Amino acid sequence: MIPGVLTVAGSDSGGGAGIQADLKTMLALGVHGMSVITAVTAQNSLGVQGAWELPVEAVRAQYRSVVDDIGVQAVKTGMLASAELVETVAELIAGTDAPAVVDPVGVSKHGDPLLAASALDSVRTQLLPVATVATPNLDEVAQLTGVRVESEGELRRAAEAVLAYGPRWVLIKGGHLPGDAVDLLTDGSEEHWLRAPRHDNRHTHGTGCTLASAIAAQLARGGTVPEAVAAAKEYVTGAVAAGFALGEGIGPVDHGWRFRGDA
């Protein structure tokens, strides 16, 4: 049986991030991807030109349709846009017997807001507590906790601040720091430092969505959290290295890099 992973996120019309990136990642990693669309964006390599969230009833109906009939082995969340959607998705995840990877998306790669400021408290108090793994980048850590990280030595403090809201594990992504791309995975007692060489490639659109989806895929396949995160880090590092130009701005990572003849 092929494991099933459900992504609950926004649609990226340019295909580099969001639902589209999630499903490509899941296919590449050998799981069956399913989706709950929370918002539709008009988006390309230059930025987000518009965003329209779906009604709560539509999000709830999509989720129940998949989970009640097909079932899921993991859930991944991305863009949730509003407090009402955050609260609804948190409630749905709490009632689902599957690991949940929460990517607390706040802004796009281009700096466009994807989460209402009024929704931050709902992320802290309702969504993070139901997460098996939360995967904030440094901007999202600052947005959620007020902790600003400027060096590798401060990643532990950032992790402690996010763990205080209740996720079982947190992966603090240090990709915005200088030097190697270093991330810290911890549950508060166990620590795993993940390092990868930094690739000189500006085409990195969809990195966060891809990493979170890769973790969910590996969890669905039966991996432990540390195993899933390590395998996901390896996959996304290859995808970043193979990122390609698309349009006039920032291109996407290559979700199919392992399938290319010259990979």
Side-chain angles (χ1 to χ4, degrees):
M1 179 179 175
I2 299 175
V5 180
L6 179 62
T7 170
V8 184
S11 168
D12 173 2
S13 56
I19 288 283
Q20 288 81 355
D22 297 340
L23 295 177
K24 292 173 187 178
T25 299
M26 293 169 191
L27 177 63
L29 296 179
V31 299
H32 175 64
M34 301 169 286
S35 63
V36 171
I37 297 176
T38 60
V40 175
T41 69
Q43 189 172 167
N44 55 28
S45 70
L46 298 174
V48 179
Q49 291 78 47
W52 301 266
E53 66 182 76
L54 267 67
V56 165
E57 294 78 9
V59 170
R60 185 184 298 276
Q62 291 175 81
Y63 192 101
R64 291 262 60 95
S65 180
V66 171
V67 173
D68 294 347
D69 173 46
I70 301 170
V72 294
Q73 280 65 60
V75 179
K76 176 263 177 183
T77 72
M79 177 186 177
L80 298 180
S82 69
E84 194 175 16
L85 283 178
V86 170
E87 292 160 11
T88 297
V89 171
E91 174 193 339
L92 291 166
I93 289 174
T96 304
D97 185 18
V101 180
V102 170
D103 185 18
V105 176
V107 297
S108 74
K109 179 70 67 177
H110 305 86
D112 303 292
L114 299 176
L115 179 72
S118 58
L120 284 172
D121 195 53
S122 297
V123 172
R124 297 182 189 104
T125 62
Q126 298 193 47
L127 188 60
L128 289 177
V130 300
T132 306
V133 190
T135 64
N137 63 29
L138 299 185
D139 290 337
E140 290 156 356
V141 168
Q143 191 177 37
L144 289 167
T145 71
V147 173
R148 299 192 178 278
V149 175
E150 297 181 358
S151 68
E152 182 179 319
E154 296 175 316
L155 291 176
R156 186 177 286 113
R157 184 166 62 95
E160 291 170 351
V162 178
L163 284 171
Y165 290 113
R168 283 178 49 202
W169 291 81
V170 62
L171 177 68
I172 304 295
K173 300 179 295 190
H176 294 171
L177 296 175
D180 287 348
V182 58
D183 306 326
L184 171 60
L185 172 70
T186 180
D187 63 354
S189 58
E190 188 177 324
E191 286 187 354
H192 301 267
W193 294 83
L194 300 100
R195 298 179 184 277
R198 184 174 301 279
H199 295 285
D200 185 19
N201 185 356
R202 74 188 189 96
H203 301 302
T204 57
H205 184 50
T207 308
C209 305
T210 300
L211 179 62
S213 294
I215 295 170
Q218 298 295 350
L219 290 174
R221 292 167 62 98
T224 65
V225 170
E227 290 169 344
V229 172
K233 173 84 169 179
E234 179 185 2
Y235 169 74
V236 80
T237 299
V240 169
F244 57 95
L246 193 72
E248 299 299 319
I250 300 173
V253 301
D254 184 359
H255 300 94
W257 66 273
R258 285 178 171 166
F259 307 140
R260 311 297 179 203
D262 57 352

